[in-house]
Amino acid sequence: MPTRPKVGGSRPGTSQPRRVYHLPQHGRKYVLGVQTLQMNHDHNYGGTTANQLATLDHLNLFTKPLPAPPEKLSRLVDYRDAGADLTLRARSYLHANCSHCHRKWGGGNAEFQLLATLDVSDTGTLGVRPAHGAFGIPHARILAPAIPIAPSCFTACLSWPGRMPRIGSTVTDERGLRLIQDWIQQLPSAESTDSTDAITRAETDATLQQLAGEAASSDQRSAALERLLSSTSAAVQLAQVVAAKSLPTPLRDEVIAKATRSPIAEVRDLFERFLPEDKRTRRLGAVIDPAEILALGGNVEAGRKIFFEAEGVRCRTCHQIRGVGTALGPT
């Protein structure tokens, strides 16, 4: 699990999540562990390559024999294998990284499922509005076919600082993100796609061309960049261009600098991953050092503004201070 290198009692670059982070993973109605889909692959056993399931069956480690030969059982594919079917790669990626929670009785509070064994139409994602926030994306859907940038929230869940999975995810998986974007792009378009989304995408494409155009003046580029950073939908598409490193380096650096200073929290957070780690906003994360936090100096006025006024900070949606906010959690 990549995390901050300073972790007491652990080797650099790793961490052991606290007990509270494990609680949602237990008490389920299924085993949270290796599965047939994941184990049904060849493995090199010190010079001898054999199927893992067949090997375990040969060693009599199963309480029952395999229901069929391994070659007839389902399996995931390596999402990095460019020669494999794109849909199988994307569904395998989502199954391995997301379906341990996003399934029936998975312990999460979202109703959709990401098991690779389900047809996409049965996952509860296609054309469904997100139940827990839309990152400021108009007409957002959990999965919008043929629209990898907006209003689909899939890519948002993989690229924002609060990305999934919640444990062990401190770095954006750019390779996995591109895979999911490519997969969504080739899904059949939904007939019910809102026309305003198509207009927004067309306008954003034109603005991106103006930003990167060789004939554009400095003022035209600045105006184009301001438009792209004025909404989350356009900023998500701009972030994809930045991630692809298709802009000239000076222009790319300018985009990152302006985006990470945006007054819109969702836009600012979206581009944070392009900053050096020491320039990113420090967050508590899963590794907390109480002594380090208590040693910091406080600022009551700054705290008041963050709680009552700051965009993107949602403490007040569950907590109250002096009667302001929602009395769901402790005051």
Side-chain angles (χ1 to χ4, degrees), residues 241-253:
V241 174
V242 171
K245 298 182 178 180
S246 57
L247 296 174
T249 300
L251 178 56
R252 184 176 185 270
D253 292 343

Side-chain angles (χ1 to χ4, degrees), residues 76-253:
L76 301 180
V77 302
D78 187 343
Y79 81 96
R80 299 164 296 185
D81 182 2
D85 179 78
L86 178 61
T87 294
L88 290 178
R89 292 169 59 202
R91 296 299 306 277
S92 294
Y93 181 89
L94 294 173
H95 183 102
N97 289 281
C98 312
S99 72
H100 48 281
C101 287
H102 289 292
R103 63 167 67 193
K104 189 176 183 180
W105 301 315
N109 55 6
E111 296 184 359
F112 59 87
Q113 303 185 59
L114 295 177
L115 294 164
T117 51
L118 294 175
D119 188 84
V120 175
S121 61
D122 295 326
T123 59
T125 60
L126 286 172
V128 177
R129 291 180 179 274
H132 303 293
F135 303 98
I137 301 175
H139 316 294
R141 300 292 185 271
I142 297 173
L143 180 58
I147 311 176
I149 307 303
S152 177
C153 282
F154 254 49
T155 54
C157 289
L158 297 176
S159 56
W160 256 279
R163 73 188 66 80
M164 295 292 178
R166 300 308 299 270
I167 298 180
S169 177
T170 60
V171 178
T172 298
D173 183 357
E174 298 289 354
R175 193 174 192 174
L177 181 58
R178 288 195 301 272
L179 169 65
I180 299 303
Q181 290 170 342
D182 291 344
W183 170 61
I184 296 174
Q185 181 68 57
Q186 58 84 49
L187 289 174
S189 299
E191 294 181 1
S192 60
T193 298
D194 196 304
S195 60
T196 57
D197 293 329
I199 294 172
T200 300
R201 293 196 306 277
E203 292 176 345
T204 301
D205 287 340
T207 307
L208 280 169
Q209 291 178 5
Q210 184 179 19
L211 176 69
E214 295 182 1
S217 66
S218 176
D219 289 342
Q220 288 174 324
R221 284 199 181 95
S222 295
L225 182 54
E226 289 297 328
R227 288 197 297 273
L228 291 169
L229 296 178
S230 65
S231 72
T232 309
S233 299
V236 172
Q237 191 161 343
L238 177 59
Q240 184 186 32
V241 174
V242 171
K245 298 182 178 180
S246 57
L247 296 174
T249 300
L251 178 56
R252 184 176 185 270
D253 292 343

